[in-house]
Amino acid sequence: MNLRYVSIIAWIGFATVFIAVMYATVAGQFSIDGPRLLQNPWGVATLIDIYVGFALFSCWVFWRETRPEKAALWIVLILIAGNIASTVYVLIALHGSRGSVETFWLGPRGASRKVHKRG
């Protein structure tokens, strides 16, 4: 896997989510639209889907990070800011990996961890 593709997807994702949130902030009223969202079955299903994704992404963050308090901070940011925080985390992880796929996925101490394959 070429990490350049991950970077492109992360930048596109960041820009898309940022623009969508800015549009919603300017054009919508959360105090009115929020309750409507929760009354709609698709709104509820979408929120559940998003938070399951946040939980799975947070597992990856916790696995990668060497300090639990840093992982906890990122997880809180993800739960509050959503995929804007997720894309920022990915971009920082990409930068810190210096092109190493193993370091990107497993974190700075990934090379020293023994990942066992089940066979």
Side-chain angles (χ1 to χ4, degrees), residues 40-72:
N40 184 318
W42 278 108
V44 173
T46 300
L47 286 173
I48 291 169
D49 179 58
I50 288 167
Y51 277 90
V52 168
F54 290 168
L56 290 171
F57 190 87
S58 294
C59 290
W60 177 59
V61 170
F62 190 78
W63 172 262
R64 282 189 86 255
E65 291 301 328
T66 56
R67 294 181 12 234
E69 59 275 5
K70 186 175 178 185

Side-chain angles (χ1 to χ4, degrees), residues 47-113:
L47 286 173
I48 291 169
D49 179 58
I50 288 167
Y51 277 90
V52 168
F54 290 168
L56 290 171
F57 190 87
S58 294
C59 290
W60 177 59
V61 170
F62 190 78
W63 172 262
R64 282 189 86 255
E65 291 301 328
T66 56
R67 294 181 12 234
E69 59 275 5
K70 186 175 178 185
L73 175 63
W74 273 109
I75 291 167
V76 168
L77 288 172
I78 290 164
L79 294 174
I80 293 171
N83 285 315
I84 288 178
S86 296
T87 56
V88 170
Y89 183 84
V90 166
L91 291 166
I92 290 170
L94 284 165
H95 180 72
S97 73
R98 294 183 172 85
S100 166
V101 173
E102 183 178 77
T103 302
F104 172 71
W105 286 111
L106 299 178
R109 60 185 172 176
S112 65
R113 289 185 180 177

Side-chain angles (χ1 to χ4, degrees), residues 5-28:
Y5 297 118
V6 177
S7 180
I8 291 168
I9 292 168
W11 279 111
I12 291 170
F14 176 82
T16 303
V17 174
F18 183 81
I19 290 167
V21 169
M22 290 300 105
Y23 170 74
T25 301
V26 171

